[in-house]
Amino acid sequence: MTFEMNSFSLKGKVALVTGASYGIGFAIATAFAAAGAKIAFNDRNEEAVQKGLASYKEAGIEAQGYVADVTDETQVSSLVNNIERDLGGVDILVNNAGIIKRIPMLEMSAADFRQVIDVDLNGPFIVSKAVIPGMIEKGHGKIINICSMMSELGRETVSAYAAAKGGLKMLTRNICSEYGEANIQCNGIGPGYIATPQTAPLRERQADGSRHPFDQFIIAKTPAARWGTTEDLQGPAVFLASDASDFVNGHVLYVDGGILAYIGKQPE
Ligand code: NAP
Ligand code: GCO
C-alpha cells in the first residue's frame, strides 16, 4: 500500500483524554481535535470541568467534559457509558491524569504512597479496563499511557511517582501483549521535563530573581537546553493515536529533548 498523509488523520474517531482540562492532556486533546477527532475529557470536579470546557471553546473545539475520578470504578464506568451515549464508543484513550508528591521516602506516609499509585497506576488500569471491551467489539483501539522520565530513572523525593510510572510502562507492555491480537495498540509517551502546573514548583524564581537550582539542573541535563512545552507532545501523540502507528505496540516514546540519551555535562 502506498503511504498517504491521511494515515495520520483521526477523522471521526472518539478520543477520551483523562484529566485534560489543562496541561499536557489539554494540549494532546487539542491536537487530536485538529486531526479530526471528537474529544471527551474528564476531571475530578465540576469546577475543573467547566474551566476546561471554556478553554476548549476558546480554542474552537466542541469537547464533551465529564466529572469522574479515574480511581473510582463506578464513576469511570458511567464516564465511558456517557461518552458512548454522547459521541460513540471510545477509539482512542489517553491515560493522562496524574499526580506527584515530592516527599523524601523516609518521611512519606504509606497513605501518600498509596494515593500516588492509585491515581498514576490503578487509574490507567481502571480506565483501560473500561474501554477495552468496546475496542474489541469495534475491532480496533489505541491506548496511550503518559509515562515519565521516572519510568526509567529515579531521583530524590519521587519514590511513589517513579514506582507508579515504572509500573505504567509495564502495564503498557502488558496491555499490548494481551490485546494486540484484538488490534489494540497500547503505547506510552514519556515526556521529559515539561512546563506545566505540575512542575511549576521546580521552576520558581528565587528571591534574588535567579533561576531555581532544579531549573538550571534540567537545562544542563537536557541536550535541547530547555524545558519542554505541552505542544512538544502533540505530534507524537497524534502519531500514536493514528493508523500510521498500527504496527507500533508496547513501546514508550520518550519526548524528552534527549535527556535519556545524555550522561550529563562534565564539571568545568
Ligand atoms: P497537571 O498539570 O498537574 O495536570 C494533571 C491533570 O490530572 C489535572 O487536570 C488533574 O486535575 C487531573 N487529575 C489528577 N488526579 C485525577 C483523578 N484522580 N481523576 C481525574 N483527573 C485527575 O499535570 P501535567 O503536567 O499536565 O501532567 C499530565 C500527565 O503527564 C501526568 O500523568 C504526569 O505525571 C505526566 N507527566 C508530566 C510531566 C511534566 O513535566 N509536566 C512529565 C512527564 C509526565 P486537578 O486539576 O483536579 O488536579
Ligand atoms: C520531578 C518531576 C518529574 C516530571 C516528569 C519527568 O519532580 O522530578 O515532576 O517527575 O514531572 O514526570 O518526566
Side-chain angles (χ1 to χ4, degrees):
M1 203 174 73
T2 42
F3 176 77
E4 289 173 17
M5 280 309 284
N6 214 18
S7 312
F8 289 95
S9 167
L10 303 182
K11 195 158 193 284
K13 296 277 167 66
V14 175
L16 163 60
V17 186
T18 66
S21 40
Y22 60 90
I24 290 174
F26 179 78
I28 289 176
T30 55
F32 284 179
K38 296 185 249 177
I39 305 302
F41 72 96
N42 70 300
D43 222 308
R44 278 184 292 199
N45 58 62
E46 188 60 39
E47 200 191 333
V49 170
Q50 288 307 327
K51 270 196 186 157
L53 284 172
S55 305
Y56 283 101
K57 201 168 168 201
E58 206 182 316
I61 296 163
E62 215 182 291
Q64 299 283 333
Y66 305 87
V67 176
D69 185 319
V70 296
T71 65
D72 184 315
E73 282 186 277
T74 311
Q75 291 183 28
V76 168
S77 165
S78 311
L79 168 70
V80 172
N81 290 336
N82 290 339
I83 295 171
E84 192 157 359
R85 177 198 64 203
D86 298 339
L87 297 175
V90 173
D91 300 290
I92 302 161
L93 163 67
V94 181
N95 282 309
N96 167 76
I99 59 168
I100 190 165
K101 286 177 189 275
R102 298 183 186 95
I103 306 171
M105 184 172 149
L106 296 186
E107 291 162 29
M108 188 169 212
S109 66
D112 277 337
F113 191 91
R114 282 197 190 101
Q115 198 194 346
V116 175
I117 300 286
D118 206 20
V119 179
D120 294 1
L121 183 55
N122 296 343
F125 164 76
I126 289 169
V127 188
S128 301
K129 194 179 157 197
V131 300
I132 287 172
M135 290 177 169
I136 293 175
E137 218 170 282
K138 284 185 167 210
H140 66 255
K142 298 275 185 184
I143 299 176
I144 302 171
N145 291 325
I146 304 300
C147 298
S148 163
M149 293 291 87
M150 272 67 217
S151 299
E152 300 293 338
L153 302 169
R155 84 169 186 88
E156 302 76 4
T157 75
V158 297
S159 57
Y161 187 78
K165 295 294 188 178
L168 187 57
K169 174 180 69 179
M170 287 314 299
L171 180 64
T172 302
R173 291 181 180 165
N174 217 83
I175 293 174
C176 151
S177 306
E178 267 189 88
Y179 300 106
E181 212 178 355
N183 194 25
I184 293 173
Q185 289 83 47
C186 180
N187 292 290
I189 288 181
Y193 278 81
I194 311 292
T196 69
Q198 194 216 62
T199 53
L202 306 175
R203 284 176 285 107
E204 250 170 30
R205 287 279 165 175
Q206 303 300 90
D208 64 2
S210 64
R211 300 181 89 126
H212 192 294
F214 196 87
D215 182 354
Q216 296 178 26
F217 163 66
I218 287 304
I219 303 290
K221 183 72 184 84
T222 309
R226 65 170 176 87
W227 283 70
T229 65
T230 56
E231 289 77 18
D232 286 323
L233 302 166
Q234 292 179 314
V238 169
F239 166 62
L240 290 178
S242 72
D243 294 349
S245 61
D246 276 356
F247 204 54
V248 181
N249 210 351
H251 187 76
V252 180
L253 175 53
Y254 289 99
V255 184
D256 65 352
I259 292 179
L260 287 179
Y262 185 37
I263 193 168
K265 262 194 179 36
Q266 62 176 332
E268 304 260 300

